[in-house]
Amino acid sequence: MPLMDEFKEERDEIKNRSFKERMSYFWDYYKWHVIGGVCGVFLVGSLLYTFLTNKETAYYSAFINMAETIYSEDYKMDFAKLANIDLDKSVLYFDSDMFLDFSAMDDATVQTTQKIMVHITAGDLDSMIGDLTAIDRYAYNDVLMDLRDFLTAEELQKYEGDFYYADRALLEEAKENPNLEYPADPTDPSSMKDPIPVAIRVNDCKKLSETYVYGENQYFAVVINSKHQDLNHLFLNYIKEN
């Protein structure tokens, strides 16, 4: 059968399907085009905003599955002062407009996933604070830095009991299997073949817990292509020491 005839026959068949089946067909064949288009819009919008406001991003941290309180602006201003960030000339983002729930894959999850992807690709995102839903996701997608390359020997010893570990042996499998079963206890390196510390528990930090509402397991992680590693270090100390 000629190619055009096959195409016409398939098109006619799709027309006779239910709305749900037609949407499923469309998503199966065009989802990467849609995701690519949405990411392109996000990226262009971000670049336009930067150009029009003429302010450089001094530091950008994603606060995932965290709700602000009335003290969030003070928290940001205190860190800006500590880091000598002039907010008249630069922008400091503590972005808590990010929510992930991969069991539901609702609109908020899709938008947050796309937003994070855009900022990582653009090299804008420096760090993230998130629960296990977020850290599991990005620990196994080559996004988070090995903290052995970030912390001093003294700090590695100091925070040893607070680490989230990813199993390097599962990294390649994770690229092929989006439904990968993560290690049951990411704080136990003895249960893994090749453990890598990629995040530090911060849920018990007093000032952070007074400023944001979040669950019982919250971790700080450094994005691997961050351009502001000195500020990442300063921010981690700010979180842990306040």
Side-chain angles (χ1 to χ4, degrees):
M1 180 184 295
L3 182 61
M4 288 303 297
D5 289 344
E6 288 185 16
F7 174 76
K8 183 176 183 302
E9 184 177 308
E10 183 178 9
R11 185 184 61 187
D12 292 340
E13 181 187 346
I14 293 167
K15 284 182 179 179
N16 294 324
R17 295 181 185 180
S18 68
F19 175 76
K20 184 177 180 181
E21 288 173 328
R22 292 200 303 272
M23 289 302 295
S24 177
Y25 175 88
F26 175 84
W27 184 245
D28 286 342
Y29 281 87
Y30 298 106
K31 62 182 174 183
W32 296 117
H33 298 79
V34 173
I35 291 172
V38 171
C39 287
V41 170
F42 269 120
L43 183 56
V44 170
S46 177
L47 292 173
L48 280 174
Y49 177 81
T50 301
F51 176 76
L52 293 174
T53 58
N54 200 30
K55 286 187 177 183
E56 291 186 358
T57 299
Y59 190 75
Y60 195 141
S61 187
F63 286 24
I64 305 169
N65 294 341
M66 301 173 67
E68 293 183 354
T69 69
I70 58 173
Y71 305 110
S72 60
E73 190 64 21
D74 292 337
Y75 190 78
K76 184 173 76 172
M77 295 295 288
D78 286 348
F79 179 69
K81 183 178 180 180
L82 176 67
N84 292 317
I85 296 173
D86 185 346
L87 296 179
D88 291 329
K89 298 178 180 178
S90 304
V91 181
L92 170 62
Y93 289 112
F94 288 169
D95 191 349
S96 61
D97 190 22
M98 294 191 176
F99 300 94
L100 294 175
D101 180 1
F102 293 110
S103 65
M105 282 305 293
D106 53 13
D107 289 345
T109 298
V110 172
Q111 290 167 9
T112 296
T113 302
Q114 292 168 348
K115 186 177 183 181
I116 290 173
M117 184 191 308
V118 167
H119 286 293
I120 289 173
T121 302
D124 294 335
L125 190 60
D126 295 298
S127 66
M128 61 176 66
I129 302 175
D131 56 14
L132 290 178
T133 298
I135 302 302
D136 282 345
R137 173 78 172 198
Y138 294 105
Y140 289 92
N141 279 280
D142 291 332
V143 168
L144 306 183
M145 176 174 278
D146 183 339
L147 294 178
R148 293 172 298 187
D149 299 327
F150 174 71
L151 298 173
T152 65
E154 291 78 14
E155 288 169 331
L156 285 169
Q157 186 174 7
K158 178 181 179 181
Y159 296 131
E160 186 176 6
D162 291 334
F163 286 135
Y164 170 109
Y165 293 89
D167 192 344
R168 195 197 304 269
L170 297 177
L171 288 179
E172 287 302 316
E173 183 182 344
K175 294 176 183 177
E176 305 296 329
N177 179 15
N179 299 314
L180 176 73
E181 288 288 332
Y182 302 114
D185 184 2
T187 65
D188 179 15
S190 66
S191 65
M192 304 177 190
K193 293 181 180 178
D194 190 3
I196 312 167
V198 295
I200 300 174
R201 188 181 3 248
V202 294
N203 48 281
D204 56 348
C205 297
K206 186 174 185 295
K207 195 167 185 178
L208 184 70
S209 65
E210 291 173 348
T211 308
Y212 294 89
V213 179
Y214 47 80
E216 61 179 344
N217 289 305
Q218 213 73 9
Y219 291 85
F220 171 88
V222 176
V223 176
I224 198 167
N225 65 338
S226 167
K227 300 171 185 173
H228 304 115
Q229 296 297 1
D230 54 337
L231 290 178
N232 280 326
H233 210 266
L234 188 64
F235 187 38
L236 173 60
N237 288 336
Y238 174 71
I239 296 169
K240 294 293 279 186
E241 294 173 8
N242 287 282

